[in-house]
Amino acid sequence: MQHKKRKAGFTIAIGGLLAGLLWAGLLWEDPVFAQPATAASTAPAASIVPVVATGVDDAAKTAFDQMMDVVAHKRCVNCHPSGDQPNQGEDSHPHRFGVQRGADGFGAAGLQCSTCHQTENNTTSGVPGAPHWHLAPRSMGWEGLSRADIARAMIDRSKNGGRSLAEIEKHLTEDALVLWVFEPGVNHEGIPREKPPVSKTAYIEAVKSWIAAGAPIPEN
């Protein structure tokens, strides 16, 4: 029992020390980037939404491409890792300090995401921030996937938390963590982070158009 208490105390102390150094700007090199939120859905997991793989009209194809220019951007994919460690930076390198997913995607005990990532960007330290900052669930690991595979995962209710198309649209167009990608702030050197090549307005319109068309996924 004493050994466990000493171990727990040591873990908390290390987490506190890292957090202090981060906020002091001593260790932060290139902060993690936000990801689409993974708010739990109360909708039951049901069958996979039918996907039109062929015959996608030009308007739906254009909407899909614009949406995926954002969804597949590093600002999003960095926290949709294939494993349990998020990535960060323009080169998507593993998150520093060995940050891990933890049991619920909000970080490991003693080093939660919220230790450093607040509800808004910190322009002094360069630490990015948005509400409920966390990793996407393992089922939504997009790292290494094609655009079509990412889209299939998004509409697969067995992977997306049971979301319907209407719930997917709401999540993609209203969640503050998702929309953070358009206001990613500056890094620790005060340099603006790269934004997706589509405006927020165009992205939201593209998502709604794609959903309205039945969420078709082009083959290529």
Side-chain angles (χ1 to χ4, degrees):
M1 181 65 73
Q2 291 299 321
H3 173 72
K4 291 183 177 178
K5 290 182 177 179
R6 286 196 296 273
K7 184 177 180 180
F10 177 76
T11 300
I12 293 172
I14 291 299
L17 175 61
L18 285 173
L21 291 172
L22 281 168
W23 283 112
L26 298 177
L27 294 178
W28 195 267
E29 179 182 82
D30 197 2
V32 70
F33 300 106
Q35 297 300 305
T38 55
S41 171
T42 57
S47 59
I48 297 173
V49 176
V51 176
V52 178
T54 59
V56 178
D57 64 37
D58 290 344
K61 175 67 165 53
T62 297
F64 175 84
D65 287 341
Q66 287 188 317
M67 175 186 71
M68 296 309 298
D69 280 346
V70 176
V71 172
H73 192 273
K74 69 192 75 173
R75 290 286 87 78
C76 291
V77 177
N78 275 352
C79 280
H80 278 261
S82 58
D84 290 331
Q85 184 173 19
N87 297 309
Q88 68 179 114
E90 306 297 341
D91 60 351
S92 298
H93 60 266
H95 197 297
R96 297 189 180 281
F97 322 120
V99 169
Q100 295 293 310
R101 174 189 304 281
D104 57 3
F106 285 80
L111 193 56
Q112 295 275 291
C113 300
S114 59
T115 302
C116 299
H117 300 283
Q118 305 302 305
T119 57
E120 58 185 18
N121 296 323
N122 186 315
T123 57
T124 301
S125 67
V127 179
H132 58 88
W133 194 281
H134 65 284
L135 274 71
R138 290 186 182 87
S139 62
M140 294 298 285
W142 297 346
E143 184 181 9
L145 298 184
S146 68
R147 290 183 169 210
D149 286 339
I150 290 174
R152 291 189 184 94
M154 285 199 308
I155 63 175
D156 185 341
R157 300 183 75 162
S158 72
K159 295 181 178 179
N160 71 8
R163 287 189 173 98
S164 65
L165 287 182
E167 290 169 326
I168 293 170
E169 177 180 314
K170 180 177 179 64
H171 171 64
L172 291 177
T173 61
E174 297 182 21
D175 191 291
L177 183 54
V178 175
L179 299 180
W180 171 88
V181 301
F182 299 103
E183 298 294 338
V186 299
N187 67 14
H188 67 292
E189 295 178 326
I191 300 173
R193 295 188 179 88
E194 179 183 306
K195 298 180 182 179
V198 176
S199 71
K200 178 180 175 180
T201 299
Y203 160 75
I204 290 175
E205 182 177 340
V207 171
K208 292 183 176 180
S209 295
W210 181 67
I211 295 291
I217 302 175
E219 289 185 318
N220 298 310

